[in-house]
Amino acid sequence: MKKFYSLLSVVLFGAGITFGQVTPSAPIHKSKAAPSNSNFTKRTSFSNPSAKHTNGQNHTAAIVWSDDFSVPGNWNITHAASTVSDWVIGTNGPSGPFAIPAITSTSAANGFAMFDSDLMCDTTNGQVGDLTNVTPINCTGHSAVRLNFEESYCRFFDSTYVMVSNDGINWTLFDAHPALVNNDYAGGGTASTGATINPNLVSINISSVAGNQATVYIRFEFYSPRALSPGNAGCGYAWMIDDVVIEDLPSDDIGMVDVFPSPYTIIPLSQAQPIDLAAMITNTGGSAETNAGFNANVYFSSDFGMSYSQVFSGPSGTVASFNPGDTTATLSAGPFTFTDTGVYAFQYVSFMTNADGDGSNDTITHFIVVDDTSYARDVEVLTGTCDNFYGAPANDSAAFGNMYDVYSNTILKSVTINHAFAQLGGIIRADIYDVAGGMPNAVIATSGDYAYSVDDTSSQFFFTLTLQLTTPLAVAPGQYFVSINQADFNNMGVGFNTDISTPGGSFAKIGTNAWDLNENIGLPGAWDVRANIALSDFVKETALGNSINVYPNPTNGMIYIHNSGQKDNMTVTVFNSLGQTVYTGSFSQLSTAVVDLTKESA
């Protein structure tokens, strides 16, 4: 287990149609990131029958049953025969060495249920603990019901299930958190940044088991048997639950299915392609709905999130009708074309003929940065931090990377990584591969070996590093794979983000194993490995004609700007791709300004 420091940065957030900018505080956070001897053990999971996570619940229908854990005797606490760890009911939060904050649920003061995996850490036997209501719940007359509960939970080599039975013998399993990976909080946030939402609110449609049934049982299971990942399972964080409710499904309730609008979170303007404003809608209510669709809104900020203006608004196509539990085919509001560098916010808001009984799942918002030089699949530029860092075993080699599409001729010149665990003298390398059959094929450009310096190790954990290719690579339209390699078993850590929903573009390779998709090794998400292209092919001449000379031209290295005829003092200002000033200087007649683009535009 390793400790990590959160990255200080600017964080963009979206709520409704309001966008703003905040600067996080700088506490030190501990993180149970994957140990250095982990080979990315694949997580065991089950199907997820319409679990819905929200940041707001509207109780719009009759409450059938509820429990706030004020009476511990209402619940039966058991564990698997091969394990010894149990749930507890009380008012004290987690207290292990990696304790997450106590749940701030509605009725936390009178008790909540907690499985404190960290405190009871047992990697020898693992942990499988169950919490089941004692008295059966009568749902007779309620054909469409959902289970709601408040929670606080962070994953680490475990799974969390809700099990439902109508006879106390046969159980149907619902995966409460199918999309989370290690160190992710339910509701948002990571072990290194803290939870975004506490409590997180969960809603699961249990009509298929509990609808119109007289003897319904609910079981919460913390599942981390040793077999899930020997040496790791049985020592997670904690799962806290409170204010459990079974209620009628709202008669009318639809919601957006989360989708990221592009494979890339950052893309150069010269390579940006029109985006299809497409998404799907799911019917989470109890009635068939008609004329369902969504409004697509796009907002643009030229000042990296200080202010936004709307640049697109339009409705999608609609479906005439769809039934409870169904999801529409992909609907589209048409294409959107990027026109300038800056931050774009994409917002989709569902609509239908009937009034929506629960608005908490109607809106999704995602951001894309368009600049002059950068490709990225990670969201660090938006969230301010990596979710985790992953590395290969200390005695083995490893490589991690992302696929990038090139749409017009350009020059790949460097690779940027978010990195951790630098060891003085450790060797890493950036490589560019061609692609065959959707897989990395052969190295066609490299940075050569790079040895970690004292400067690299001065930051105990997180740092950003740009490796220049030994020879800039001219590339034609096509797909290229960009990787970072642990060349001498120094146990490097590469940044990793899970807050994207465009799988199929990130790969890892351990030792002599073949390249494999992240999803296949239990790490759905993207590496913080970015490609950088040349800023431009040439510097355009100014209206001052021969009085201002720019040379050499073209170049991606040193630029000399010479004032050979203008008598007045001149000022030259150079901005980076985010609009930040990186150089300002004044020069008079017969003087020269010098700008080193190898530093300023990497």
Side-chain angles (χ1 to χ4, degrees), residues 96-332:
F98 291 85
I100 64 175
I103 188 172
T104 58
S105 52
T106 304
S107 65
N110 63 20
F112 54 86
M114 175 178 65
F115 194 95
D116 194 349
S117 175
D118 183 46
L119 177 65
M120 301 179 292
C121 184
D122 186 353
T123 57
T124 300
N125 300 299
Q127 297 170 329
V128 179
D130 292 335
L131 180 71
T132 312
N133 59 297
V134 173
T135 304
I137 303 160
N138 187 356
C139 292
T140 303
H142 303 272
S143 59
V145 290
R146 66 181 181 185
L147 175 73
N148 302 323
F149 59 92
E150 301 181 16
E151 67 166 0
S152 179
Y153 166 65
C154 189
R155 167 165 277 165
F156 186 74
F157 290 101
D158 54 58
S159 293
T160 41
Y161 301 123
V162 173
M163 305 171 74
V164 183
S165 173
N166 53 36
D167 59 10
I169 300 173
N170 300 294
W171 297 86
T172 299
L173 182 147
F174 297 81
D175 192 340
H177 308 101
L180 288 186
V181 298
N182 288 335
N183 295 303
D184 266 10
Y185 271 97
T190 68
S192 58
T193 63
T196 302
I197 298 170
N198 183 9
N200 181 52
L201 307 175
V202 180
S203 182
I204 301 175
N205 185 342
I206 60 172
S207 304
S208 60
V209 185
N212 265 330
Q213 300 299 307
T215 56
V216 175
Y217 294 89
I218 304 296
R219 175 174 293 170
F220 297 95
E221 181 171 87
F222 186 92
Y223 182 81
S224 189
R226 186 179 186 278
L228 188 65
S229 178
N232 296 309
C235 194
Y237 291 99
W239 191 21
M240 290 164 277
I241 293 169
D242 202 3
D243 300 311
V244 185
V245 174
I246 294 178
E247 67 176 9
D248 289 334
L249 278 173
S251 177
D252 302 301
D253 181 26
I254 64 172
M256 298 300 306
V257 176
D258 198 18
V259 60
F260 198 83
S262 168
Y264 307 115
T265 54
I266 314 177
I267 191 167
L269 182 61
S270 64
Q271 303 296 322
Q273 301 298 295
I275 284 181
D276 184 15
L277 300 176
M280 295 183 292
I281 300 169
T282 184
N283 187 345
T284 52
S287 301
E289 302 299 344
T290 59
N291 300 319
F294 63 86
N295 286 311
N297 302 306
V298 183
Y299 302 87
F300 173 69
S301 171
S302 61
D303 50 16
F304 206 67
M306 296 301 294
S307 60
Y308 282 85
S309 59
Q310 190 165 16
V311 293
F312 180 92
S313 180
S316 71
T318 60
V319 293
S321 64
F322 70 130
N323 294 319
D326 287 350
T327 297
T328 68
T330 299
L331 306 174
S332 175

Side-chain angles (χ1 to χ4, degrees), residues 299-503:
Y299 302 87
F300 173 69
S301 171
S302 61
D303 50 16
F304 206 67
M306 296 301 294
S307 60
Y308 282 85
S309 59
Q310 190 165 16
V311 293
F312 180 92
S313 180
S316 71
T318 60
V319 293
S321 64
F322 70 130
N323 294 319
D326 287 350
T327 297
T328 68
T330 299
L331 306 174
S332 175
F336 175 80
T337 300
F338 297 106
T339 58
D340 201 355
T341 56
V343 181
Y344 291 81
F346 295 82
Q347 180 194 73
Y348 301 151
V349 185
S350 62
F351 63 77
M352 61 182 174
T353 299
N354 294 329
D356 198 306
D358 184 348
S360 63
N361 58 341
D362 291 350
T363 303
I364 56 174
T365 303
H366 288 289
F367 299 86
I368 296 175
V369 174
V370 176
D371 70 6
D372 290 318
T373 63
S374 306
Y375 274 105
R377 286 182 178 268
D378 65 272
V379 296
E380 185 274 325
V381 71
L382 300 174
T383 63
T385 187
C386 306
D387 288 353
N388 303 292
F389 294 93
Y390 286 102
N395 60 350
D396 211 343
S397 60
F400 312 87
N402 299 322
M403 290 286 186
Y404 292 107
D405 295 288
V406 171
Y407 297 98
S408 61
N409 292 342
T410 190
I411 297 173
L412 293 174
K413 68 170 189 173
S414 61
V415 176
T416 297
I417 57 171
N418 289 326
H419 216 212
F421 313 131
Q423 299 177 23
L424 186 62
I427 305 297
I428 62 173
R429 186 182 70 251
D431 291 328
I432 311 294
Y433 290 72
D434 63 7
V435 175
M439 299 293 291
N441 182 40
V443 174
I444 55 177
T446 183
S447 67
D449 288 349
Y450 174 87
Y452 283 136
S453 67
V454 173
D455 289 341
D456 297 325
T457 60
S458 62
S459 173
Q460 280 187 299
F461 294 102
F462 185 94
F463 67 106
T464 298
L465 180 65
T466 295
L467 299 178
Q468 302 288 332
L469 299 179
T470 55
T471 302
L473 177 67
V475 292
Q479 193 170 57
Y480 300 88
F481 183 74
V482 179
S483 74
I484 185 71
N485 301 271
Q486 171 179 298
D488 72 339
F489 316 142
N490 57 60
N491 195 213
M492 69 176 183
V494 177
F496 182 79
N497 277 257
T498 59
D499 299 327
I500 63 169
S501 52
T502 53

